[in-house]
Amino acid sequence: MASPGADSRTQLLMPAPLPALIQEALERRFLVHRLYEASDREAALAQAADVRVIATGVPILTQDVQAPVNAALMDLLPKLELIANLGVGYDNIDAQAAAARGIIVTNTPDVLTEETADTAFGLLLNCVRQLSRAERFVRAGRWLHGQFELSASLRGRTMGILGLGRIGSAIARRAEAFGVQVVYHNRKPVEGAPYRYFDSLIDMARASDILMIAIPGGAQTQKLVNAQVLEALGRQGVLINIARGAIVDEEALIEALQTGKILTAGLDVFANEPRVPQALIDMEHVVLLPHVGSASQVTRDAMGMLLVENVFAWHTGANIPCPVPETPWRRPPEQTG
Ligand code: 8YV
């Protein structure tokens, strides 16, 4: 942990490690407290009472550190003004609690949209055509003894997108290019969207053979994709999740996969990352990725730069580029007199 001493720089708390690019940029301007390095968390937080910024991200990139920014943590930091998140999803931060305390939360949208949509599509193709399994077949020398089995197909399929936001729309564009029909479910129809809208998730699942999850995580969407939704998706159904693990009832999913209620699943996210249920690991036909939706160097660098831009803008009183909707940024009133 940094020790405040005589250092007069603005203080910033990092509950968990962030990529080097971000750390270096922030350190040039701020006194950084690395909470994850402290052996006594409480003592470290007591020393950090002057912190005005938190920089964080989910999932934590390099270590198995769970570091939610909740009301209890905010209350320990009475001078906190800004929470800057690495990532478009900010379910690791209690944004309502921040709003109630006048704290601004920022995220890093847009720069990761196309990358994450690419990953979603890669996961989908991999799942439907069983590409990971086919590759393992070659590596194990099994091709010498016979052909790999025939797979399912993307031809003639309908994709139901749960969440036609920025990333959902980018996935929809890819689906169109692949000749896959698109329908979607949101809380309300998206103005101008050229796809059929379902106001019920179950009805959309029934009309789809691919369920693509692209909605934000958090309390409102927890276990939204449950046993009934999976059953409605049906025996040829494919579930793809590049959003948040907690949106799916993982136990119901395991049961649906084990009993053939759905065909397969491609998962980039899990309820309790980085722990993946053994039952999923044991199923060869399921494709599992370690939350790499946005994880290319170029995209992570762009996300990192945007986090830094958000923090620097706050620090200089400039327009903050990406406040989240719960905590809209307003220019402070001009000082008069
Ligand atoms: C990152 C993500 O893995 O943006 C998100 O919401 O889940 C991913 O892009 C994560 O944010 C990095 O901390």
Side-chain angles (χ1 to χ4, degrees):
M1 287 279 289
S3 110
D7 197 325
S8 61
R9 286 175 296 169
T10 300
Q11 297 193 27
L12 179 148
L13 183 77
M14 231 177 249
L18 289 171
L21 177 88
I22 301 178
Q23 300 217 18
E24 283 157 20
L26 294 176
E27 253 169 5
R28 272 181 236 125
R29 204 180 282 200
F30 300 97
L31 175 67
V32 177
H33 296 266
R34 291 188 175 75
L35 189 55
Y36 54 94
E37 282 178 356
S39 48
D40 183 343
R41 193 182 142 91
E42 273 173 36
L45 280 169
Q47 261 204 351
D50 285 334
V51 157
R52 293 172 64 201
V53 191
I54 291 181
T56 190
V58 64
I60 297 321
L61 300 175
T62 51
Q63 285 179 20
D64 182 11
V65 181
Q66 301 294 323
V69 180
N70 52 24
L73 179 59
M74 293 175 206
D75 286 341
L76 291 174
L77 305 170
K79 298 188 180 164
L80 187 62
E81 289 179 46
L82 180 78
I83 304 167
N85 193 50
L86 179 70
V88 65
Y90 50 95
D91 48 317
N92 53 322
I93 299 167
D94 186 340
Q96 298 294 354
R101 289 161 179 75
I103 299 165
I104 295 171
V105 178
T106 62
N107 66 347
T108 61
D110 299 322
V111 291
L112 47 58
T113 299
E114 302 299 326
E115 200 75 73
T116 309
D118 285 352
T119 308
F121 231 84
L123 200 47
L124 173 63
L125 282 171
N126 190 337
C127 257
V128 171
R129 300 301 318 282
Q130 291 287 290
L131 302 180
S132 286
R133 246 176 93 210
E135 207 231 2
R136 290 198 290 272
F137 180 88
V138 174
R139 286 183 188 276
R142 285 166 52 204
W143 197 9
L144 297 169
H145 310 290
Q147 287 293 320
F148 186 68
E149 70 200 60
L150 301 181
S151 72
S153 173
L154 211 53
R155 303 300 98 226
R157 295 252 186 172
T158 297
M159 179 192 287
I161 300 183
L162 172 54
L164 194 71
R166 283 176 280 231
I167 294 173
S169 302
I171 296 170
R173 288 196 298 277
R174 283 159 178 74
E176 284 186 275
F178 274 79
V180 172
Q181 201 191 338
V182 174
V183 299
Y184 75 103
H185 168 69
N186 269 22
R187 270 174 303 184
K188 28 185 206 315
V190 176
E191 216 178 304
Y195 316 112
R196 180 172 171 200
Y197 172 70
F198 282 86
D199 60 9
S200 144
L201 173 56
I202 295 248
D203 290 346
M204 181 182 78
R206 214 168 276 127
S208 310
D209 352 65
I210 300 157
L211 178 57
M212 176 63 76
I213 305 178
I215 40 164
Q220 287 188 335
T221 58
Q222 202 160 2
K223 296 197 179 171
L224 200 60
V225 176
N226 56 22
Q228 291 75 34
V229 173
L230 295 170
E231 196 143 2
L233 187 58
R235 303 188 76 79
Q236 292 305 312
V238 177
L239 177 81
I240 306 291
N241 191 2
I242 45 100
R244 286 290 180 265
I247 298 165
V248 177
D249 180 340
E250 235 167 42
E251 276 178 33
L253 173 63
I254 290 167
E255 202 268 336
L257 286 163
Q258 283 171 339
T259 57
K261 285 192 183 117
I262 65 169
L263 184 66
T264 183
L267 308 171
D268 185 40
V269 288
F270 302 88
N272 190 22
E273 294 174 14
R275 275 164 283 273
V276 176
Q278 191 60 39
L280 288 174
I281 293 175
D282 289 344
M283 284 187 272
E284 281 281 318
H285 68 304
V286 172
V287 181
L288 308 171
L289 298 181
H291 200 146
V292 291
S294 66
S296 70
Q297 189 69 57
V298 66
T299 296
R300 282 288 166 84
D301 285 355
M303 292 162 64
M305 294 310 293
L306 192 48
L307 179 147
V308 171
E309 262 179 60
N310 279 313
V311 177
F312 283 12
W314 163 81
H315 196 217
T316 56
N319 259 341
I320 297 182
C322 314
V324 304
E326 294 89 332
T327 66
W329 181 78
R330 283 182 203 90
R331 183 175 291 285
E334 292 286 330
Q335 299 283 327
T336 50

